């Protein structure tokens, strides 16, 4: 334990980067997941098939491999077309890689949530004169969000743990800081155990937030007492 305290500040810096990486990946992944879900529900056959193929490919490839492809592949692509004028950071590559993986699973969650909405509600919205965009934001999205929240919470927990994969491309996140400290002190087990404890705390600290969001989203939809 004496070796741990001098590196506590560095571990906290890595933990903060981990949180930033997870939150940014979540935001981008949710947006991409909604777009993919909309494509999977499109009336255009080619678009539905393209989305199905894309999500199947992403879900069939290990996340570790996607992180490597995004970092090294996108770096080479940028350097080829922009003569190295743009430097892709490990953080940006990690956000993009984790977001597209998250979006593939979130798309299926959103697709099922939209499909679970009774068609009569959509017809009622049209009968009231609501435009398709108004119907989406006022009727479909709030109900789909309520249905999808529990599954999205599970995806968030997986995403938070998957942030550790980005350390392999040089991002000094929690796991990277723990490895560096373990090598410097020749006590890798102590620092890896400390990193595991921080991940555990993060996961359990996010559960009350998830439950609060579920209660907020479900307000007015549950059974009311007579």
């Amino acid at each position: 334990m004496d070796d741990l305290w001098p590196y506590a500040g560095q571990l906290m810096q890595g933990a903060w980067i981990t949180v930033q990486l997870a939150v940014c990946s979540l935001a981008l992944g949710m947006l991409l997941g909604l777009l993919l879900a909309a494509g999977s529900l499109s009336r255009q056959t080619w678009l539905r098939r393209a989305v199905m193929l894309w999500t199947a490919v992403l879900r069939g490839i290990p996340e570790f491999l996607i992180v490597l492809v995004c970092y090294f592949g996108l770096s080479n692509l940028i350097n080829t077309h922009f003569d190295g004028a743009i430097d892709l950071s490990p953080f940006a590559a990690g956000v993009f890689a984790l977001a597209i993986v998250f979006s593939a699973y979130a798309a299926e969650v959103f697709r099922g949530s939209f499909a679970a909405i009774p068609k009569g509600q959509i017809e009622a919205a049209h009968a009231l004169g609501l435009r398709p965009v108004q119907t989406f934001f006022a009727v479909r999205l709030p109900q789909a969000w309520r249905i999808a929240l529990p599954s999205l919470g599970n995806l968030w927990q997986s995403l938070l743990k998957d942030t550790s994969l980005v350390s392999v491309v040089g991002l000094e996140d929690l796991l990277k800081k723990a490895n560096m400290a373990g090598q410097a002190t020749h006590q890798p087990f102590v620092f890896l155990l400390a990193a595991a404890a921080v991940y555990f705390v993060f996961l359990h600290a996010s559960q009350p937030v998830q439950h609060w969001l579920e209660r907020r989203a479900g307000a007015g939809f549950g059974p009311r007492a007579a």
Side-chain angles (χ1 to χ4, degrees), residues 3-224:
D3 293 328
L4 180 62
W5 297 117
Y7 292 91
Q10 295 186 28
L11 291 177
M12 290 301 99
Q13 291 177 2
W16 174 238
I17 292 177
T18 292
V19 171
Q20 291 178 303
L21 179 63
V23 172
C24 291
S25 302
L26 175 68
L28 180 58
M30 292 274 284
L31 177 60
L32 295 176
L34 274 173
L35 294 176
L36 290 174
S40 67
L41 296 172
S42 173
R43 296 180 180 179
Q44 301 294 329
T45 303
W46 67 269
L47 182 56
R48 292 199 308 272
R49 291 179 177 176
V51 169
M52 290 176 59
L53 177 62
W54 175 250
T55 55
V57 169
L58 288 177
R59 286 181 292 155
I61 299 177
E63 288 85 350
F64 179 74
L65 182 57
I66 294 178
V67 171
L68 294 178
V69 169
C70 287
Y71 181 66
F72 295 106
L74 289 178
S75 296
N76 291 335
L77 183 64
I78 290 174
N79 292 331
T80 299
H81 290 83
F82 296 96
D83 297 326
I86 301 176
D87 184 22
L88 183 65
S89 67
F91 184 87
V95 168
F96 182 74
L98 296 177
I100 63 174
V101 172
F102 182 91
S103 69
Y105 292 93
E108 289 300 306
V109 172
F110 281 125
R111 184 188 63 81
S113 300
F114 283 121
I117 300 174
K119 293 183 179 180
Q121 297 191 21
I122 310 301
E123 296 173 353
H126 292 163
L128 291 173
L130 295 181
R131 296 178 180 178
V133 174
Q134 294 174 317
T135 300
F136 178 80
F137 285 103
V139 179
R140 303 187 69 180
L141 185 58
Q143 295 191 69
W145 173 251
R146 175 179 59 86
I147 298 171
L149 261 178
S151 297
L152 291 176
N154 294 332
L155 292 181
W156 157 254
Q157 295 186 6
S158 298
L159 172 65
L160 186 58
K161 291 182 289 187
D162 286 344
T163 56
S164 61
L165 299 174
V166 187
S167 63
V168 299
V169 295
L171 181 67
E172 294 189 357
D173 66 333
L174 175 59
L175 182 58
K176 183 70 172 181
K177 291 287 190 179
N179 280 327
M180 292 169 61
Q183 292 173 4
T185 60
H186 303 287
Q187 295 289 335
F189 177 77
V190 172
F191 288 95
L192 291 177
L193 191 62
V198 175
Y199 281 114
F200 180 83
V201 170
F202 282 164
L203 286 173
H204 283 267
S206 64
Q207 289 182 355
V209 178
Q210 178 185 347
H211 295 157
W212 178 80
L213 288 173
E214 292 178 7
R215 289 195 300 270
R216 288 277 297 179
F221 289 95
R224 298 182 179 179

